[in-house]
Amino acid sequence: MIQAETLELLEWPRLCQHLATFAATKLGVAAALDLEIPATQAQTAELLAQTQEAYQLESRAGGALSFEGIQDIGTSLQRAELQGLLSGEELLAIATTLAGARQLRRIIDSQADVPTLKELAAQLRTYPELEQEIHRCIDDRAQVADRATPKLAGIRVQMRQLRDRIYQILQGILQRQSNAVQEQLITQRSGRFVIPVKAPQKDAIPGIVHDSSASGATLYVEPHSTVNLNNQMRQLLRQEQAEEEAVRRALTEQVAAVKPDLDRLVVVVTTLDLAVAKARYSFWLQANPPKFIELGEPELAPKNPEKEDEEKEDEENSENSQLLIRNLRSQITLRQLRHPLLVWQQHHEQGFPVVPVDLTIAPHIRVVAITGPNTGGKTVTLKTLGLAALMAKAGMFVAAREPVELPWFDNILADIGDEQSLQQSLSTFSGHIRRISRILEVLHNKSQAEGEENSNLPITNSQQQDEEVTDTQNTVSALPILKPKLQISQPQIPITNSQLPIPKSLVLLDEVGAGTDPSEGSALAIALLQYLAQHSLLTVATTHFGELKALKYQDSRFENASVEFDDNSMQPTYRLLWGIPGRSNALTIAKRLGLLAEIVEEAQTYVGGASQDVNQVIAGLEAQRRKQETKAREATQLLHQTEKLHREVSQKAAALQERERELKIAQEVAVNEAIGSAKSEIAQIIRRLQSGNQTAQNAQQATETLNQISQKHLPSRQQPAKPKPSFMPKVGDRIRIPSLGQTAEVLSGPDANEELSVRFGIMKMTVKLGEIESLDGEKPETKAQLAKAAAQAQALATAKAKQAAAEPAKPNPEIAIRTANNSIDLRGARVSDAEIEIDRALSKAVEYGVLWIIHGKGTGQLRRGVHEFLANHPQVSRFELASQKEGGAGVTVVYLK
């Protein structure tokens, strides 16, 4: 079967062996070694969800699943179902497995965001009563315990008593006949207690001889005095065995009664262990979860440029001349993809560092032709892609950088390596053709199966044979679908969009068309790839044929890729380059591998000039590609630096904004404190005026005190800050000359004419003081600017003096003093009653200009009603809550118009 061959070619069993090392139980190891590939995408999605949730648990502290005590009990369950008798070890293994499964379920139930694992754990039935019964009857040595049944306990008591009597009698004989015994030892032969007696003195201890030593010098004798006791011991021993079997039989029947649930428990535990093994393997590989790309809406297949003229002539059938196909919704993205087996080899077998490859395939691409030198990594790229598709399909993470996006392939088919066989009379070419035939047979059967489901699918005339074929083409004609000619004519019946075939197979071909005449091999390869472009979702082929490199420019479904070759070191770099065909470099590699130089030089003379020109063009493209990649890396680094600088500037700006906000808050606090302090001092003056004699002298003192308070708290009365000294260049300073766009160094300071000498580069020059500025953009002040500023200040002072002399002196503003006449207490009143009282109080308080309303704090309902009334009152200019010293939120101060 070609699917099984593909797994062997891609070394899937070896990867399964690596996966098995991460399993915790024998069940998990067996499941990993025989890992099945799901048949549907829904199964893959479920397995992938299990792996992702297990990965989450492994990443959490204390969330890792423990499989301690879980054993492989499948064989024991089958024997129990067949009414076999389980041993103590098997029963104890079942009990410990039940306990381990219960612990697993407890851990999973205690975690969040793991719905798939919880659904699995919910299927576990652990039967704690069965576990307890097994532990009650079976001890830690897997023997039936005395507590299993009272009868068994009584039998073992009798056996111990009888054994003590036998030992007592035999010890007496050993002491009395010490000269006749070989050593002071009591042993057993055939289940009976005996003592070693010297052969020449066997008559000294009459009894039954059960055995002798190899030399014959020692006889193992059962004295006559213990024969009856040994007989009784044998009877008790048989009774003990019968009772033990009865106990184990009862336990076995209990196990058989719940076998379906225990079978399910084994399956669930194995599934959990396999999911954890996949998660641990993915963590070790530094892999990422795949995302499957779905197929998009149907589109017309691209036309062949060589047939465009013919199709224009037949416009009536143009709609039916092309097959409607469904491309992927997005491109295949596998960046920094690594071969998992090479990663293992690097870490565990001292292999070489793994070179990752980048696979980014556009949605409409169906065939990728990889060219390049031998030993350059083309085959490894095929195997890496094949293993990545298999791992994703099996619910494993892919060893690539995020995002990992690829289709779900229903078939992964490969022809890699040489199937040459002398026993089967297969040449290299025949071996490839046989394997490709099996691949095409799978695709053909798939197409037929879809055709049965959709009766309107296009019918391909695939059996038409050409009469004139070469010998090689006769071999090819055995293929089930393929025609030997390059141009494949496939008349089709129109189909509807809802009944389209969905090709979802991945085909990997190594050295397609090799092993035969190059011209016929390349023709066969072209025809094969054109067929696969129509009947598989993606085909990746390696080749050395130059004709295949040109398919990209004839059919948009084809793409070129090549493995890079370093012309300086004359060695492949194993990097994959897209869009550029590769050079085989066969002569260079042959020389590097040790072929005689004169042979390589002679071969060079036979290479055609056109081939050399093509190789030079490809070499130029590769060099240009490397330059562009270098520039792209530099641009990426610059972008990262710019983003880092942007983050730093944003953080500093945010810090400055926060600092500004804090300063504003601090200023508001300081202003509020100043206002509160000023009000307190004013209140003291008012109280002093009210309590003392209101004389003119006291009024004058109060006025002076108020002026002092205003000088201290009002910013407008404070002295302005002194201006900062202006910029003045000194010798050695760096300055900027805006007119020249240059930065210069000051050689001498400004002289009396405000000129100074500067130097930039190798030039020296003299510039005016007004023509320079500091590196911060600060301009120096010239004498003319200073004189102008002084004249403006003098004129402003004169104008203020004249204005002050012309205006009459203004009296000091009246100070609002809180008295009983301009205060009203509304505490306990309703809002409607309060509004009437406020209106009366406002009429009386007009002469004072201010009114204090005491409404209290309470629930705040009265305060809100008062404020709503004041907001619409025509006499009110503004109102505000009083300071804390005057009642705070319980008092509102109203200023009248």
Side-chain angles (χ1 to χ4, degrees):
M1 189 175 182
I2 187 61
Q3 288 88 344
E5 289 183 49
T6 298
L7 297 181
E8 291 292 336
L9 293 174
L10 296 178
E11 300 181 88
W12 177 253
R14 186 179 166 200
L15 185 141
C16 293
Q17 292 176 0
H18 297 168
L19 174 63
T21 61
F22 292 89
T25 66
K26 292 182 179 180
L27 295 168
V29 171
L33 291 176
D34 193 23
L35 188 62
E36 295 183 359
I37 308 297
T40 64
Q41 188 171 351
Q43 295 174 348
T44 296
E46 184 178 359
L47 293 177
L48 192 58
Q50 295 172 5
T51 305
Q52 289 176 314
E53 293 179 7
Y55 191 94
Q56 294 176 12
L57 293 183
E58 290 293 315
S59 304
R60 297 175 185 173
L65 297 181
S66 173
F67 295 86
E68 184 178 359
I70 295 177
Q71 302 181 40
D72 186 0
I73 60 174
T75 304
S76 301
L77 295 178
Q78 292 178 359
R79 289 182 53 237
E81 186 182 27
L82 297 175
Q83 298 182 354
L85 182 62
L86 299 183
S87 64
E89 290 83 358
E90 292 174 316
L91 291 170
L92 199 60
I94 292 174
T96 57
T97 300
L98 292 174
R102 188 180 305 109
Q103 178 66 16
L104 265 178
R105 186 176 61 189
R106 187 178 298 113
I107 295 175
I108 293 174
D109 290 342
S110 64
Q111 300 296 322
D113 302 328
V114 285
T116 304
L117 297 186
K118 285 186 176 181
E119 183 179 355
L120 274 176
Q123 304 174 26
L124 292 174
R125 295 194 61 184
T126 57
Y127 292 99
E129 64 281 359
L130 176 60
E131 176 194 345
Q132 294 174 2
E133 183 65 14
I134 293 175
H135 281 302
R136 187 185 70 83
C137 297
I138 309 296
D139 59 19
D140 294 338
R141 297 172 300 145
Q143 301 296 323
V144 180
D146 294 350
R147 58 181 176 271
T149 63
K151 182 178 179 180
L152 180 61
I155 292 172
R156 288 180 175 175
V157 169
Q158 296 180 35
M159 291 178 65
R160 284 192 291 270
Q161 293 174 351
L162 191 58
R163 187 182 296 108
D164 292 341
R165 289 179 59 191
I166 294 173
Y167 265 74
Q168 185 179 2
I169 294 172
L170 293 179
Q171 287 290 350
I173 295 174
L174 289 174
Q175 292 177 2
R176 291 193 303 270
Q177 303 291 339
S178 59
N179 294 329
V181 298
Q182 194 72 283
E183 56 180 326
Q184 297 289 323
L185 175 67
I186 299 175
T187 184
Q188 283 186 324
R189 287 294 185 272
S190 302
R192 305 179 74 88
F193 291 97
V194 296
I195 56 178
V197 179
K198 297 177 181 178
Q201 300 184 13
K202 63 177 181 178
D203 296 334
I205 304 177
I208 302 173
V209 178
H210 289 279
D211 196 5
S212 63
S213 64
S215 62
T218 304
L219 301 177
Y220 294 94
V221 179
E222 178 187 4
H224 288 306
S225 57
T226 61
V227 171
N228 290 332
L229 297 176
N230 273 323
N231 291 339
Q232 296 178 23
M233 180 63 72
R234 292 296 298 273
Q235 293 176 359
L236 291 174
L237 183 61
R238 282 193 292 271
Q239 294 177 13
E240 180 192 31
Q241 292 174 351
E243 190 62 23
E244 288 179 351
E245 288 183 2
V247 171
R248 289 189 283 116
R249 174 70 64 186
L251 294 175
T252 302
E253 290 175 355
Q254 294 183 38
V255 170
V258 295
K259 178 184 179 293
D261 291 335
L262 296 185
D263 284 337
R264 183 59 187 167
L265 180 144
V266 171
V267 172
V268 171
V269 168
T270 303
T271 303
L272 291 173
D273 189 16
L274 188 59
V276 172
K278 293 176 182 177
R280 292 171 179 171
Y281 185 42
S282 301
F283 184 81
W284 178 83
L285 269 180
Q286 297 181 352
N288 290 293
K291 177 182 177 183
F292 293 111
I293 309 171
E294 300 296 334
L295 292 172
E297 295 299 324
E299 299 177 1
L300 284 176
K303 299 179 181 180
N304 190 333
E306 297 178 357
K307 291 188 175 183
E308 287 185 356
D309 296 336
E310 299 176 4
E311 292 179 356
K312 289 179 180 178
E313 296 176 359
D314 192 10
E315 293 181 355
E316 295 181 357
N317 298 326
S318 61
E319 295 182 358
N320 297 336
S321 63
Q322 288 180 274
L323 180 67
L324 288 171
I325 61 173
R326 297 175 66 182
N327 293 326
L328 297 174
R329 293 185 182 274
S330 60
Q331 69 175 8
I332 299 175
T333 303
L334 295 169
R335 293 189 176 91
Q336 300 294 303
L337 179 64
R338 291 163 292 132
H339 196 299
L341 301 184
L342 295 182
V343 175
W344 182 277
Q345 184 176 339
Q346 176 187 353
H347 288 86
H348 292 86
E349 302 173 9
Q350 298 180 349
F352 295 101
V354 180
V355 179
V357 296
D358 291 337
L359 296 175
T360 52
I361 305 174
H364 66 279
I365 297 299
R366 291 300 178 91
V367 179
V368 176
I370 302 179
T371 54
N374 296 304
T375 70
K378 299 189 299 297
T379 304
V380 173
T381 300
L382 288 184
K383 290 186 174 182
T384 304
L385 176 59
L387 280 179
L390 285 173
M391 292 173 70
K393 194 173 180 180
M396 302 169 66
F397 290 6
V398 178
R401 192 183 69 189
E402 285 190 306
V404 178
E405 298 177 343
L406 73 165
W408 188 90
F409 297 104
D410 53 7
N411 284 306
I412 300 171
L413 310 169
D415 172 31
I416 299 175
D418 191 355
E419 202 182 5
Q420 183 179 20
S421 174
L422 296 179
Q423 294 179 350
Q424 300 179 12
S425 300
L426 289 177
S427 65
T428 298
F429 178 74
S430 300
H432 280 295
I433 292 300
R434 291 283 181 87
R435 191 176 287 158
I436 293 174
S437 299
R438 292 192 290 272
I439 291 175
L440 296 180
E441 183 179 357
V442 172
L443 298 178
H444 183 53
N445 292 338
K446 178 71 175 177
S447 176
Q448 285 183 341
E450 292 172 352
E452 293 176 358
E453 297 177 0
N454 304 297
S455 58
N456 292 330
L457 287 180
I459 301 174
T460 303
N461 184 9
S462 60
Q463 306 299 329
Q464 184 179 3
Q465 300 290 335
D466 194 273
E467 295 181 356
E468 298 179 358
V469 294
T470 62
D471 294 338
T472 302
Q473 290 170 334
N474 282 328
T475 303
V476 176
S477 63
L479 301 182
I481 306 295
L482 189 61
K483 281 188 58 180
K485 278 195 169 185
L486 297 186
Q487 304 298 336
I488 301 177
S489 176
Q490 297 179 350
Q492 298 161 349
I493 299 174
I495 56 178
T496 62
N497 290 350
S498 61
Q499 298 173 329
L500 295 172
I502 304 176
K504 296 187 69 175
S505 297
L506 171 64
V507 180
L508 305 173
L509 303 177
D510 188 25
E511 301 295 345
V512 58
T516 187
D517 180 77
S519 60
E520 295 183 352
S522 62
L524 175 63
I526 292 174
L528 176 62
L529 294 182
Q530 286 179 340
Y531 175 84
L532 291 175
Q534 196 69 46
H535 292 83
S536 67
L537 182 58
L538 179 63
T539 300
V540 182
T542 65
T543 182
H544 290 283
F545 293 137
E547 292 83 354
L548 269 66
K549 304 174 185 178
L551 289 176
K552 171 186 177 180
Y553 309 103
Q554 302 173 5
D555 193 333
S556 62
R557 297 173 298 175
F558 285 72
E559 179 58 280
N560 284 333
S562 62
V563 286
E564 188 180 36
F565 188 82
D566 191 348
D567 293 329
N568 297 324
S569 62
M570 294 299 173
Q571 291 184 352
T573 64
Y574 306 106
R575 293 178 63 243
L576 194 63
L577 304 179
W578 289 88
I580 300 177
R583 297 169 290 159
S584 294
N585 292 296
L587 301 181
T588 303
I589 294 175
K591 185 177 181 180
R592 181 172 62 86
L593 294 178
L595 191 63
L596 292 176
E598 54 265 27
I599 296 178
V600 176
E601 293 174 359
E602 181 69 19
Q604 191 70 43
T605 61
Y606 296 116
V607 178
S611 177
Q612 291 182 350
D613 294 340
V614 171
N615 286 336
Q616 290 178 359
V617 171
I618 294 176
L621 291 174
E622 291 176 353
Q624 185 178 4
R625 174 70 172 264
R626 284 192 291 269
K627 290 180 181 179
Q628 294 297 332
E629 289 180 349
T630 302
K631 292 182 179 179
R633 283 194 300 269
E634 293 175 353
T636 302
Q637 293 177 358
L638 181 60
L639 178 61
H640 290 166
Q641 293 175 359
T642 305
E643 291 176 348
K644 181 180 178 182
L645 180 61
H646 180 266
R647 285 194 300 270
E648 293 177 353
V649 171
S650 299
Q651 292 173 358
K652 290 181 179 179
L656 288 175
Q657 291 177 356
E658 181 65 20
R659 177 60 179 165
E660 182 179 359
R661 189 180 67 84
E662 292 176 354
L663 288 175
K664 287 182 178 179
I665 293 175
Q667 289 175 355
E668 291 177 1
V669 171
V671 169
N672 290 332
E673 291 178 353
I675 292 173
S677 177
K679 287 184 177 180
S680 176
E681 294 177 3
I682 292 171
Q684 292 178 4
I685 296 172
I686 293 172
R687 284 193 295 271
R688 192 163 56 246
L689 286 173
Q690 291 175 343
S691 61
N693 297 325
Q694 298 180 0
T695 62
Q697 182 178 2
N698 291 340
Q700 181 64 29
Q701 291 178 355
T703 302
E704 293 177 357
T705 304
L706 290 176
N707 290 333
Q708 293 176 2
I709 293 172
S710 64
Q711 290 288 343
K712 180 171 65 174
H713 294 290
L714 293 178
S716 61
R717 303 289 184 89
Q718 298 176 1
Q719 293 293 331
K722 295 182 179 180
K724 296 182 179 179
S726 61
F727 165 69
M728 185 57 65
K730 300 185 294 296
V731 177
D733 288 351
R734 302 286 297 177
I735 54 93
R736 183 183 291 108
I737 307 175
S739 60
L740 301 178
Q742 296 288 339
T743 301
E745 180 185 357
V746 178
L747 299 179
S748 63
D751 53 14
N753 296 326
E754 296 184 339
E755 294 181 346
L756 63 160
S757 299
V758 297
R759 176 177 62 194
F760 53 91
I762 60 174
M763 297 181 61
K764 295 182 181 180
M765 65 182 301
T766 300
V767 295
K768 289 287 187 179
L769 187 62
E771 297 176 353
I772 67 170
E773 64 181 17
S774 68
L775 297 180
D776 296 333
E778 187 178 359
K779 292 285 188 178
E781 290 188 355
T782 61
K783 294 180 180 179
Q785 291 174 341
L786 291 174
K788 182 178 180 181
Q792 291 177 350
Q794 182 64 31
L796 183 60
T798 303
K800 286 184 177 181
K802 291 181 179 179
Q803 184 178 1
E807 293 180 356
K810 293 183 180 179
N812 290 328
E814 294 182 357
I815 300 173
I817 302 174
R818 179 177 175 180
T819 64
N821 296 326
N822 59 359
S823 299
I824 180 174
D825 192 350
L826 300 176
R827 287 176 291 187
R830 296 179 178 273
V831 175
S832 57
D833 298 333
E835 292 178 352
I836 299 173
E837 295 296 331
I838 293 172
D839 190 56
R840 294 175 182 172
L842 290 173
S843 301
K844 297 178 181 179
V846 173
E847 57 182 322
Y848 300 100
V850 64
L851 174 66
W852 276 265
I853 301 176
I854 305 171
H855 44 67
K857 298 180 180 178
T859 61
Q861 185 67 29
L862 181 58
R863 180 180 68 247
R864 286 192 292 271
V866 169
H867 286 182
E868 291 176 0
F869 178 77
L870 294 175
N872 299 319
H873 201 282
Q875 291 182 259
V876 177
S877 173
R878 62 186 178 88
F879 59 90
E880 62 184 12
L881 292 177
S883 64
Q884 293 296 330
K885 295 181 180 180
E886 294 182 345
V891 178
T892 298
V893 183
V894 184
Y895 297 91
L896 305 181
K897 295 181 180 178

